[in-house]
Amino acid sequence: MERIAMNSLVKPIAGLLTSRTDLIEGVLEMMEPLFGEPDIRGDWQAFSHTNYYEPEMGPDLSRCFVSFSKLMPGEAAAGFKQFTQEVEYRFAVKGRRIVNIDPGYLDSSKLVLVSGKHGGHKVALAPGAYADVLLWYNKGWEPLPWAFPDFRDRSLFSLFTRMRSSFKTQIKAVG
């Protein structure tokens, strides 16, 4: 009889999108109760691959990715989107978000974002939460065909590799 594996811990990450980069400390502080302290933070990069968010959030958007110190069971990702939406709305101005948070996780073999949008390749986790596997690790990151342009242009790979290395160190420590 096969036993359920107990080694499915993952490292939470989040992509933060905003024109108000000065808000990051407050946003991350609100995320700590669920995800733990931020442990690796990438640089802000201009978000110019799409203007999808501009009607709600305005122009000149930047994005950075952050990983967190608390390892969690992968199935906990089902609650990531609802939690981060509450953080987004705490910072909203006149009903409009000024910070968009794309939560997700990585482990040694993949990077997953949790989306509120359904899509043909996405897997339902909970009502309004879908797993979107964007990168696969096979001796290096490989973007899957549906990955967003900024995941395909490889500019984030060194950051995600640092986060993956941190995850591997952490997972060895817990056995």
Side-chain angles (χ1 to χ4, degrees):
M1 179 172 158
E2 186 174 331
R3 293 186 175 253
I4 296 172
M6 299 304 288
N7 60 352
S8 63
L9 295 175
V10 299
K11 185 173 190 64
I13 64 168
L16 305 172
L17 180 68
T18 186
S19 62
R20 297 279 315 273
T21 58
D22 59 308
L23 298 175
I24 190 169
E25 298 303 329
V27 170
L28 293 175
E29 186 177 310
M30 290 185 67
M31 295 174 70
E32 281 187 30
L34 181 63
F35 298 121
E37 294 180 13
D39 61 358
I40 298 174
R41 186 187 310 181
D43 295 328
W44 287 104
Q45 297 182 353
F47 187 76
S48 56
H49 296 287
T50 177
N51 59 4
Y52 176 83
Y53 294 97
E54 284 189 21
E56 179 180 13
M57 300 176 65
D60 303 321
L61 298 173
S62 296
R63 179 151 78 172
C64 79
F65 280 87
V66 178
S67 65
F68 298 90
S69 61
K70 184 176 175 182
L71 299 183
M72 306 171 76
E75 57 270 20
F80 287 5
K81 193 64 180 176
Q82 182 178 8
F83 177 81
T84 57
Q85 283 178 330
E86 291 174 17
V87 174
E88 290 172 349
Y89 288 110
R90 298 270 307 267
F91 284 89
V93 175
K94 296 181 181 176
R96 291 181 168 210
R97 294 178 301 166
I98 58 174
V99 176
N100 178 75
I101 304 169
D102 291 319
Y105 68 84
L106 62 77
D107 61 19
S108 60
S109 62
K110 63 189 167 301
L111 183 143
V112 178
L113 290 184
V114 179
S115 174
K117 300 176 193 81
H118 182 264
H121 62 278
K122 297 177 184 176
V123 178
L125 298 173
Y130 301 91
D132 191 357
V133 181
L134 297 174
L135 300 176
W136 173 52
Y137 195 89
N138 181 29
K139 300 180 183 174
W141 292 110
E142 295 184 21
L144 294 171
W146 48 81
F148 301 114
D150 53 342
F151 284 80
R152 281 187 265 137
D153 72 9
R154 303 184 182 276
S155 63
L156 295 166
F157 287 8
S158 64
L159 173 65
F160 294 147
T161 298
R162 283 182 24 222
M163 293 174 177
R164 180 179 179 270
S165 294
S166 172
F167 167 76
K168 290 179 74 174
T169 299
Q170 289 179 276
I171 206 75
K172 283 181 185 173
V174 296

